[in-house]
C-alpha cells in the first residue's frame, strides 16, 4: 500500500496554481528496493489517484490559498471540478479583480459586478460561509443588492463580514450605505468580526447587538455618539475596536464596562473626548488632535501610542496622568511640539507602572532653548527603566547655544533607569544638558546610545499621511 503525503503549510500561491493547471492526475513514482544482484528497477505508477480524491478539507485548504477569481477558474479542469471551488468557506469579491478596470460607464460597471457576485453566491445557497467580503466603490445603484448580500451572510451563518465600499475620492461625500440591522431580527447571529468602510450605522432601539462579536473595524463610518454607545454596550464579547476617520463630533463614551476589550485604535476621528471602562485593555493607539483621554480603569495597559498633531507638551503629560495612570510603555509623538519654560507638576500624580518612555519631538528653532525641560516627564515616572528621545530639527539645532543649564532643574533620582537612547543629536546645549542631567542622576545606568540620525523623519512622513486622509 502506498500513501500520499501533502504538506501545505507555507506553500506558495503560484506553485499551487501551477499544480492545479497541470491536469487531472497526480503521478507518483515507485522505486523498488535495490536487489542483491541485478539492476535497479524503476517505473512510473499508474495514474490511479485523482486530485479530487484528496480529502475535502485538504482540497479546501488548497483552494483557500488562491484568490477567489483563481479558485473559480479551477472549474474548467473537469466536470468533477466544476463545483469544487465552492468547498471554500471564504468568499472575497473585489470589484477590480472580478470586473477588471473600468472601461465603460459607471452603471454598466456596477451591473457587471452585481451579476458576477450573484453568479458566485448561487453556488453557495444553503451552505455555511465562514467569511464573506465585498470590496467595491459605493454607488446608490448597489443598495438593493447590498441588502440582499447582507441577508445572504445572515442565512449562511457568516462569522466574518467585510463591506469595504470606500471610493477613491471620498472627500465631501455624505452618502453612505445604511446597514440593514432589521435583517438580524429574530436570527441567531454568529458574527465575530465586522469590517465596515463607507457605511452608515443607525441601529434601531430594539437591536440587541452582536453577542458573539470579537472584532469591530470602522472606517469612514457615519454614526452618532448615542448610536455607537448603544451598539458597543450590546457587544459584550468585543476584544478589538478600530475607528479610522469616523467623525462623531462628540464624546466617545461607553458607560457600561467593556470587560473583554484588549485593543483600541482611534485614528483621525473628529471627537471631543475618549472615556471607556476597559479593565483588560492592553494596547491603546490614538492619532489625532489633542483631546482628553480617560482610561483610568485600565490596570493592564501595556502599550499606549499617542500621536498628536500639535500640542503643548506639559498639557499632554498632565492629561495622561489622569487618563493613563497605569500604562507600562508610553510612546508620545508630537510633530509640532510646543515646550514651555519651567512648569510644575502635581507631585501626587505619577505613572506608577511606567517602565519605558519613547518621545518623538520635532524641535523648531524657537524651541531649542527649552529642550532640557523634557526631563520633567521622567520625574513623573519614578520606576522608568528605559528612555528614548528622538529629535527632529533639520539643521536648526546644530550646536545651538540657547537654553538653561541643568542645575536649574535641581537634583532628581532616576534610580531604576538602565537604558538611555537619544537620536537626532546635534550638539545643542539643550540636548547636551539633558544628557548630563540624566547621567548624573541615574546611578544604575548601563547603556547610553547617542546617534545623529533622525528617526523622527519616519513619523514626519506618517504625520503628512494622516493629515491628508483626515481632510
Amino acid at each position: 500500500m502506498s500513501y500520499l503525503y501533502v504538506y501545505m503549510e507555507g506553500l506558495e500561491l503560484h506553485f499551487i496554481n501551477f499544480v492545479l493547471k497541470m491536469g487531472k492526475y497526480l503521478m507518483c513514482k515507485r522505486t523498488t528496493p535495490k536487489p542483491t544482484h541485478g539492476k535497479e528497477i524503476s517505473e512510473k505508477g499508474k495514474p490511479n489517484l485523482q486530485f479530487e480524491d484528496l480529502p475535502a478539507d485538504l482540497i479546501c485548504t488548497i483552494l483557500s490559498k488562491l484568490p477567489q477569481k483563481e479558485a473559480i477558474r479551477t472549474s474548467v479542469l473537469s466536470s468533477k471540478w466544476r463545483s469544487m471551488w465552492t468547498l471554500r468557506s471564504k468568499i472575497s469579491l473585489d470589484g477590480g479583480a472580478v470586473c477588471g478596470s473600468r472601461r465603460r460607464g459607471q452603471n454598466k460597471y456596477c451591473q457587471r459586478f452585481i451579476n458576477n457576485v450573484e453568479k458566485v453566491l448561487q453556488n453557495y445557497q444553503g451552505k455555511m460561509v465562514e467569511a464573506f467580503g465585498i470590496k467595491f466603490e459605493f454607488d446608490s445603484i448597489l443598495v438593493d443588492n447590498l441588502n440582499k448580500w447582507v441577508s445572504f451572510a445572515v442565512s449562511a451563518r457568516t462569522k466574518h463580514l467585510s463591506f469595504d465600499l470606500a471610493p477613491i475620492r471620498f472627500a465631501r461625500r455624505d452618502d453612505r450605505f445604511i446597514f440593514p440591522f432589521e435583517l438580524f431580527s429574530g436570527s441567531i447571529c454568529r458574527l465575530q468580526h465586522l469590517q465596515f468602510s463607507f457605511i452608515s450605522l443607525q441601529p434601531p432601539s430594539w437591536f440587541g447587538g452582536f453577542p458573539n462579536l470579537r472584532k469591530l473595524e470602522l472606517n469612514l463610518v457615519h454614526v452618532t455618539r448615542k448610536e455607537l454607545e448603544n451598539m458597543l454596550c450590546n457587544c459584550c464579547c468585543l476584544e478589538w475596536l478600530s475607528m479610522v476617520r469616523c467623525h462623531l463630533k462628540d464624546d466617545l463614551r461607553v458607560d457600561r464596562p467593556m470587560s473583554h476589550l484588549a485593543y483600541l485604535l482611534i485614528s483621525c476621528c473628529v471627537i471631543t473626548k475618549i472615556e471607556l471602562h476597559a479593565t483588560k485593555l492592553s494596547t491603546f493607539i490614538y492619532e489625532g488632535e489633542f483631546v482628553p483621554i480617560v482610561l483610568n480603569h485600565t490596570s493592564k495597559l501595556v502599550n499606549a501610542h499617542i500621536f498628536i498633531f500639535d500640542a503643548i507638551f506639559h498639557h499632554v503629560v498632565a492629561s495622561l496622568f489622569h487618563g493613563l495612570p497605569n500604562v507600562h510603555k508610553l510612546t508620545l509623538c508630537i510633530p509640532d511640539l510646543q515646550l514651555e519654560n519651567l512648569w510644575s507638576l502635581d507631585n501626587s500624580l505619577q505613572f506608577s507602572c511606567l517602565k519605558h518612555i519613547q518621545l518623538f519631538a520635532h524641535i523648531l528653532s524657537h524651541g531649542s532653548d527649552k529642550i532640557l525641560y523634557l526631563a520633567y516627564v521622567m520625574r513623573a515616572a519614578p520606576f522608568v527603566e528605559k528612555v528614548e528621545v528622538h529629535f527632529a530639527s533639520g539643521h536648526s539645532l546644530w550646536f545651538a547655544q540657547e537654553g538653561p543649564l541643568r542645575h536649574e532643574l535641581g537634583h532628581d533620582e532616576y534610580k531604576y533607569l538602565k537604558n538611555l537612547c537619544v537620536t537626532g543629536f546635534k550638539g545643542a546645549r539643550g540636548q547636551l544638558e539633558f544628557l548630563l542631567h540624566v547621567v548624573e542622576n541615574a546611578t544604575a545606568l548601563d547603556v547610553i546610545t547617542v546617534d545623529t540620525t533622525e528617526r523622527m523623519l519616519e513619523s514626519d512622513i506618517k504625520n503628512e499621511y494622516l493629515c491628508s486622509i483626515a481632510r
Side-chain angles (χ1 to χ4, degrees):
M1 180 181 294
S2 60
Y3 295 88
L4 176 66
Y5 295 94
V6 182
Y7 181 69
M8 289 302 305
E9 185 175 355
L11 203 57
E12 297 293 337
L13 293 182
H14 65 271
F15 178 71
I16 299 174
N17 206 13
F18 170 77
V19 171
L20 293 176
K21 292 178 180 178
M22 283 299 292
K24 188 174 179 181
Y25 300 105
L26 288 177
M27 304 292 294
C28 59
K29 186 175 181 179
R30 294 201 302 264
T31 302
T32 60
K34 189 174 181 179
T36 307
H37 301 286
K39 298 182 179 179
E40 179 179 347
I41 300 175
S42 178
E43 62 177 0
K44 290 185 177 179
K46 294 181 180 180
N48 56 359
L49 178 62
Q50 297 183 358
F51 205 91
E52 56 263 32
D53 291 334
L54 293 172
D57 57 344
L58 183 56
I59 295 177
C60 182
T61 301
I62 295 173
L63 293 174
S64 68
K65 302 293 183 180
L66 298 175
Q68 186 80 40
K69 185 177 180 180
E70 297 300 319
I72 295 175
R73 287 175 60 192
T74 62
S75 62
V76 303
L77 293 177
S78 70
S79 58
K80 290 185 178 181
W81 273 87
R82 188 164 297 152
S83 300
M84 196 74 71
W85 60 272
T86 62
L87 290 175
R88 285 169 54 103
S89 61
K90 300 178 181 179
I91 305 175
S92 179
L93 299 168
D94 185 320
V98 173
C99 301
S101 58
R102 186 177 307 178
R103 298 178 181 176
R104 54 186 73 183
Q106 173 69 9
N107 289 358
K108 291 183 178 180
Y109 188 73
C110 288
Q111 190 59 50
R112 183 182 177 189
F113 179 71
I114 291 171
N115 294 339
N116 287 333
V117 173
E118 289 297 323
K119 288 179 181 178
V120 172
L121 297 189
Q122 284 175 5
N123 291 277
Y124 282 92
Q125 292 300 323
K127 298 182 180 180
M128 289 183 60
V129 176
E130 192 81 9
F132 178 41
I134 294 290
K135 181 177 174 61
F136 196 84
E137 292 189 33
F138 179 68
D139 191 292
S140 58
I141 299 172
L142 297 170
V143 170
D144 290 339
N145 292 93
L146 289 170
N147 287 327
K148 184 178 178 182
W149 298 337
V150 173
S151 179
F152 165 82
V154 175
S155 62
R157 304 184 70 187
T158 298
K159 291 182 179 180
H160 179 178
L161 180 62
S162 173
F163 272 27
D164 183 356
L165 309 178
I168 296 175
R169 297 180 178 86
F170 57 80
R172 293 182 292 276
R173 279 192 60 172
D174 291 327
D175 58 327
R176 295 289 193 278
F177 168 59
I178 301 176
F179 188 75
F181 286 95
E182 63 274 8
L183 296 178
F184 292 85
S185 175
S187 61
I188 300 175
C189 182
R190 297 177 70 245
L191 283 172
Q192 296 182 9
H193 184 184
L194 281 176
Q195 288 179 290
F196 287 154
S197 183
F198 215 72
I199 284 177
S200 176
L201 299 178
Q202 302 174 19
S205 57
W206 53 261
F207 180 65
F210 301 108
N212 297 307
L213 193 66
R214 302 287 192 274
K215 190 172 184 178
L216 177 61
E217 298 179 73
L218 306 177
N219 176 42
L220 291 166
V221 168
H222 280 180
V223 63
T224 66
R225 179 193 66 80
K226 190 63 177 176
E227 290 167 340
L228 181 61
E229 181 180 0
N230 289 340
M231 182 174 169
L232 294 178
C233 283
N234 290 301
C235 296
C236 54
C237 295
L238 194 65
E239 299 171 356
W240 175 298
L241 174 61
S242 170
M243 295 178 59
V244 180
R245 296 171 289 191
C246 301
H247 303 324
L248 296 182
K249 299 180 181 179
D250 204 338
D251 294 354
L252 171 58
R253 177 183 299 173
V254 180
D255 293 331
R256 184 178 299 180
M258 302 180 72
S259 55
H260 294 278
L261 189 67
Y263 179 95
L264 177 62
L265 166 66
I266 309 295
S267 178
C268 300
C269 297
V270 178
I271 55 179
T272 54
K273 185 179 181 179
I274 300 173
E275 186 171 359
L276 299 176
H277 186 166
T279 55
K280 293 185 179 179
L281 189 67
S282 61
T283 300
F284 173 60
I285 301 172
Y286 175 76
E287 300 165 338
E289 301 293 340
F290 174 51
V291 298
I293 298 172
V294 181
L295 300 172
N296 50 15
H297 294 288
T298 301
S299 59
K300 299 181 179 180
L301 186 57
V302 178
N303 292 298
H305 178 109
I306 313 296
F307 187 104
I308 298 176
F309 297 149
D310 65 273
I312 298 174
F313 183 62
H314 77 272
H315 288 174
V316 175
V317 175
S319 176
L320 295 181
F321 275 140
H322 298 279
L324 305 173
N326 300 313
V327 63
H328 290 218
K329 178 183 177 181
L330 175 63
T331 299
L332 184 58
C333 183
I334 308 177
D336 189 7
L337 180 63
Q338 302 173 42
L339 291 167
E340 292 192 350
N341 291 330
L342 291 171
W343 45 278
S344 60
L345 291 171
D346 186 347
N347 292 330
S348 64
L349 297 175
Q350 291 184 341
F351 292 110
S352 57
C353 300
L354 187 57
K355 302 295 181 64
H356 186 179
I357 301 174
Q358 283 185 314
L359 296 178
F360 291 82
H362 189 191
I363 306 296
L364 301 177
S365 56
H366 61 269
S368 61
D369 60 334
K370 304 179 183 69
I371 293 175
L372 179 60
Y373 302 133
L374 289 173
Y376 278 110
V377 72
M378 296 173 59
R379 287 183 174 178
F383 303 105
V384 67
E385 298 176 0
K386 183 176 182 179
V387 174
E388 300 176 45
V389 182
H390 305 287
F391 292 100
S393 60
H395 300 288
S396 62
L397 274 187
W398 276 112
F399 306 113
Q401 295 301 309
E402 299 83 10
L405 300 177
R406 59 189 180 281
H407 67 82
E408 293 187 22
L409 292 183
H411 177 72
D412 289 296
E413 193 173 3
Y414 312 124
K415 56 185 177 181
Y416 295 95
L417 184 63
K418 298 178 182 179
N419 192 319
L420 174 65
C421 175
V422 175
T423 66
F425 184 78
K426 297 295 188 291
R429 174 188 290 178
Q431 293 178 316
L432 184 58
E433 291 293 319
F434 173 81
L435 278 171
L436 292 173
H437 168 76
V438 174
V439 170
E440 291 171 356
N441 291 276
T443 55
L445 195 61
D446 290 332
V447 179
I448 303 175
T449 304
V450 180
D451 192 344
T452 58
T453 305
E454 292 191 358
R455 282 190 57 193
M456 180 70 180
L457 290 175
E458 302 169 7
S459 298
D460 284 339
I461 295 171
K462 183 178 182 181
N463 184 44
E464 292 175 6
Y465 167 73
L466 289 172
C467 289
S468 67
I469 63 177
R471 295 190 184 102

